[in-house]
Amino acid sequence: GNLPKFLVVLGVLALAWLLVRLLRPLLRHTLRRWERANALVALVGIGVWLLAAGISLSILAGDIRALVGSLGLIGLALSWALQTPIESFTGWLLNSFQGYYRVGARVAVGEVFGDVYRIDFLTTTVWEIGSPGRGFVQAEQPTGRLITFPNNEVLAGTVVNLTRDFPFVWDELTVPLA
């Protein structure tokens, strides 16, 4: 008796898959010069899949009131359990659209100081730079350590970008003369 419902759900999911496969290249081609195009493409894909999942669940449930109540409780539990990953994803979104830092920028985020090596959905990896008072290298040279911090640091702390508006980093070189 549920076979027609399952077939419709499979059709909806196949349509969502096809739509995402068609929209990604189209959006990438349309937004190719925009530096935050990848973030928008990812958000559109997530939105299409969430919409397809909601339609599929409403088809399978039949009685939408029980489904909405159950989904509300499940959503509350998941949002509480996944609070840090959700904040980190939100930090990634803010960084993607506001441009606090990019790969290659020299930043200080909380206790972390260095050059941005990689930016992922949940974490940012920084190549640590030593300077007086930081680390074991006393110049502004890489220490060789990679530090990974969650992107929710963008929400909670101060982000200092030393190369955002000026592509050079000031440094001092002391030369002792006898």
Side-chain angles (χ1 to χ4, degrees):
N2 287 331
L3 184 61
K5 287 183 180 181
F6 287 126
L7 290 176
V8 171
V9 167
L10 285 176
V12 167
L13 293 177
L15 183 65
W17 177 80
L18 182 65
L19 188 62
V20 168
R21 295 277 295 187
L22 292 175
L23 280 178
R24 279 185 182 158
L26 180 67
L27 285 174
R28 284 192 179 121
H29 178 71
T30 305
L31 304 171
R32 66 180 168 258
R33 296 190 188 272
W34 191 41
E35 60 192 28
R36 291 169 182 78
N38 287 336
L40 185 64
V41 169
L43 282 176
V44 168
I46 290 170
V48 168
W49 280 112
L50 285 177
L51 181 65
I55 291 170
S56 299
L57 285 174
S58 67
I59 291 170
L60 287 176
D63 184 17
I64 196 71
R65 292 175 296 179
L67 176 67
V68 170
S70 299
L71 288 178
L73 290 175
I74 291 170
L76 178 66
L78 283 176
S79 66
W80 183 72
L82 299 173
Q83 185 175 4
T84 303
I86 290 170
E87 287 177 352
S88 292
F89 182 72
T90 304
W92 172 78
L93 283 176
L94 276 173
N95 186 38
S96 294
F97 287 106
Q98 296 294 326
Y100 298 131
Y101 54 82
R102 296 184 189 132
V103 172
R106 183 158 294 178
V107 296
V109 180
E111 296 292 319
V112 178
F113 178 71
D115 295 332
V116 177
Y117 180 72
R118 180 177 47 231
I119 302 171
D120 295 324
F121 290 116
L122 300 178
T123 60
T124 297
T125 304
V126 171
W127 199 17
E128 184 186 48
I129 299 295
S131 65
R134 296 183 190 266
F136 53 87
V137 176
Q138 294 303 312
E140 293 204 8
Q141 296 295 319
T143 62
R145 295 191 291 192
L146 291 173
I147 300 173
T148 301
F149 63 89
N151 287 335
N152 66 355
E153 292 287 326
V154 171
L155 303 172
T158 303
V159 177
V160 179
N161 188 337
L162 301 170
T163 56
R164 182 175 185 172
D165 296 324
F166 190 65
F168 304 104
V169 176
W170 293 97
D171 198 2
E172 281 186 359
L173 177 65
T174 57
V175 179
L177 296 175

